[in-house]
Amino acid sequence: MEKLMIAGGYPLKGTVRISGAKNSAVALIPATILADSPVTIEGLPDISDVQILKGLLEEIGGEVTFADGDMQVDPSAMISMPMPNGKVKKLRASYYLMGAMLGRFNKAVIGLPGGCHLGPRPIDQHIKGFEALGASVTNEQGAIYLRADELRGARIYLDVVSVGATINIMLAAVKAKGRTVIENAAKEPEIIDVATLLNNMGAKIKGAGTDVIRIDGVDQLHGCQHTIIPDRIEAGTYMVLAAASGEGVLIDNVIPHHLESLTAKLREMSVQIEAGDDQIFVGPAEKMKAVDIKTLVYPGFPTDLQQPLTALLTNAEGTSMVTDTIYGARFKHIDELRRMNANIKVEGRSAIINGPMKLQGAKVKASDLRAGAALVIAGLMAEGVTEVTGVDHIDRGYSHLVEKLNGLGATIWREKLTDQEIEQMNNA
Ligand code: EPU
């Protein structure tokens, strides 16, 4: 087990290249199950979630190679093996194995997913979709059992706009008989990316990226080659880092359109931003103004950037209010920021931040992936050294974070936890 050590106060300068999108990767990899010949996905991020999914595909008989970001999956010998326990519990996105295995084998047994603890994260809309397609779904001792004699297209209205449910229903419906229509679908760029892969495999999906998706079922899906989209949340995290302690940072390999809500907010805070075709330049950090933020589904402000931005707002002049309408309990980073001298209180679904406040290095713990990103940002802004534990959360979603930050001039390194620290963590 390791911790991150961050010496604050070193300004960031230079260029950072963004990796492939984690939240696409975790759906694209299960989607390969649906093909009958090898699928290649290029540009995958080097993160632990990708490694876990590779292992899961191998468990069900897939032949998988992964080198330099390119994964080749030969799904032809896969079987519908039950996966009630083990690696599936390690990540939230293992729920995509439900849709993909149901779509290919008409049956699946998948343990209830793990992932970041952001308060309740139900999967009722996924299940509603599978049932509408003709599957029976039962929860037996913490695993979901899905069975269908035949999947048939259906009209499905999502009661909650859900990224996971939209993708999972697409996966289950691409080989169903007839037409499926998903209404009130989520519109995130990752959904378009998954639909693009599936269409390259021979699926007939129209409307991905809008709130009505139409899928005409096909009998067979074949192998293909696909390049993943860049990670808008990783890019947004580096934009916030650059605004926090940069002297001019160029963020390369991005789709600026995916980041418009963050760009608008940072500009409102007086951060200088120039967007090009596939790059975003964030100008030197200057005095920033407080702003209010409400997280919304895409294209609104993403909940995944709420935590990083909260850290930045400790340095802005005035009072900011950050409201998370997606995950009302996504505020575990606030107690840790307080240890670093931040003046923040939480009221219901909102954090109220009074700034500017000079942060001080401290020992803090990442409770989830984006909380970890927020603490790294805070550590780079703080005086002195910050120690961040819970690094496994950060490694789930940020490819080569230490190398990328040091490449920009930060002073950040990994250290092994001492036996005493491991004991303290286990007792906490
Ligand atoms: N929801 C339900 N029922 C469902 C599904 C969702 O009530 O069946 C609720 C959730 O509780 C939440 C809201 O709907 O309040 C949105 O959840 P959604 O299903 O869209 O989230 P998700 O698919 O589980 C993905 C990302 C998250 C990101 C959310 C919101 C993946 C693997 N995860 O989760 O990413 O926060 O969308 O954009 O794609 C992260 O990257 O740090 C992360 C947590």
Side-chain angles (χ1 to χ4, degrees):
M1 275 179 146
E2 289 179 329
K3 60 185 170 184
L4 283 181
M5 307 291 293
I6 306 162
Y10 291 89
L12 307 183
K13 196 176 174 136
T15 302
V16 60
R17 189 173 167 80
I18 298 307
S19 303
K22 162 188 167 276
N23 288 345
S24 268
V26 296
L28 294 172
I29 296 170
T32 62
I33 294 173
L34 289 155
D36 61 6
S37 50
V39 179
T40 303
I41 308 172
E42 293 177 344
L44 287 169
D46 186 9
I47 52 175
S48 58
D49 273 13
V50 165
Q51 293 293 351
I52 294 170
L53 282 166
K54 173 178 180 281
L56 285 166
L57 293 195
E58 286 167 342
E59 271 180 38
I60 60 169
E63 266 188 41
V64 190
T65 57
F66 183 40
D68 300 328
D70 297 345
M71 184 178 284
Q72 196 188 51
V73 182
D74 183 349
S76 44
M78 284 180 179
I79 49 162
S80 176
M81 206 167 70
M83 289 192 281
N85 289 307
K87 289 196 186 100
V88 282
K89 301 269 183 193
K90 287 203 169 167
L91 80 164
R92 171 100 185 138
S94 52
Y95 55 37
Y96 291 132
L97 295 168
M98 296 180 195
M101 288 178 77
L102 184 64
R104 169 150 174 198
F105 302 111
N106 281 3
K107 61 178 180 180
V109 178
I110 308 291
L112 275 169
C116 288
H117 298 291
L118 313 175
R121 297 179 75 182
I123 57 164
D124 55 302
Q125 299 302 307
H126 305 231
I127 292 171
K128 172 179 166 172
F130 298 145
E131 286 178 339
L133 294 170
S136 85
V137 185
T138 52
N139 179 348
E140 295 169 29
Q141 294 167 345
I144 302 289
Y145 285 67
L146 305 116
R147 303 173 191 91
D149 293 332
E150 180 188 66
L151 294 170
R152 290 173 310 276
R155 184 170 282 271
I156 301 156
Y157 179 89
L158 294 181
D159 303 311
V160 183
V161 181
S162 159
V163 177
T166 303
I167 293 179
N168 234 342
I169 295 169
M170 285 197 317
L171 294 172
V174 276
K175 291 182 75 186
K177 289 259 169 319
R179 173 171 282 196
T180 298
V181 181
I182 309 174
E183 293 175 317
N184 202 25
K187 297 184 279 197
E188 270 69 1
E190 292 75 20
I191 292 163
I192 305 178
D193 203 22
V194 177
T196 305
L197 169 73
L198 291 168
N199 282 343
N200 288 340
M201 284 161 62
K204 290 193 174 146
I205 304 174
K206 284 195 183 135
T210 76
D211 58 5
V212 181
I213 300 179
R214 289 185 178 78
I215 304 156
D216 286 314
V218 295
D219 290 338
Q220 244 187 331
L221 293 174
H222 49 75
C224 67
Q225 197 161 344
H226 177 81
T227 303
I228 191 170
I229 57 169
D231 194 316
R232 64 195 167 97
I233 306 300
E234 187 197 16
T237 304
Y238 282 98
M239 287 169 72
V240 173
L241 274 159
S245 60
E247 281 184 347
V249 174
L250 185 67
I251 296 151
D252 185 34
N253 189 36
V254 291
I255 299 176
H257 177 62
H258 291 168
L259 285 148
E260 274 171 4
S261 59
L262 175 66
T263 300
K265 271 297 156 189
L266 289 176
R267 285 191 174 134
E268 210 178 306
M269 291 172 71
S270 311
V271 178
Q272 179 210 330
I273 295 183
E274 287 159 33
D277 288 339
D278 59 357
Q279 295 183 322
I280 292 179
F281 177 76
V282 181
E286 285 183 29
K287 254 192 166 180
M288 286 175 289
K289 286 191 285 207
V291 289
D292 291 341
I293 286 158
K294 200 180 254 187
T295 69
L296 293 167
V297 294
Y298 188 82
F301 192 91
T303 167
D304 298 338
L305 288 173
Q306 173 267 107
Q307 291 159 297
L309 204 81
T310 309
L312 179 66
L313 287 170
T314 62
N315 203 18
E317 179 93 39
T319 301
S320 303
M321 181 149 97
V322 174
T323 305
D324 200 320
T325 70
I326 311 288
Y327 298 114
R330 201 173 197 175
F331 286 120
K332 291 211 180 99
H333 57 303
I334 302 291
D335 281 342
E336 306 303 300
L337 289 175
R338 279 209 201 104
R339 282 180 210 275
M340 298 178 70
N341 201 33
N343 180 350
I344 312 182
K345 61 181 177 198
V346 176
E347 283 180 9
R349 288 177 159 254
S350 300
I352 295 151
I353 305 135
N354 286 305
M357 194 56 101
K358 186 70 206 161
L359 299 179
Q360 304 294 329
K363 290 186 178 191
V364 289
K365 186 172 173 211
S367 55
D368 58 81
L369 170 60
R370 310 300 171 189
L375 296 176
V376 171
I377 292 162
L380 288 168
M381 292 196 297
E383 244 165 37
V385 174
T386 297
E387 293 187 28
V388 184
T389 54
V391 178
D392 48 326
H393 289 296
I394 301 175
D395 291 339
R396 284 192 39 230
Y398 288 95
S399 182
H400 301 292
L401 178 79
V402 168
E403 292 81 356
K404 287 186 185 185
L405 283 173
N406 283 334
L408 287 172
T411 302
I412 169 167
W413 66 101
R414 288 171 186 266
E415 272 183 18
K416 285 231 169 322
L417 287 181
T418 61
D419 291 344
Q420 198 188 356
E421 283 170 326
I422 294 175
E423 200 181 315
Q424 272 169 5
M425 277 187 70
N426 291 340
N427 293 337

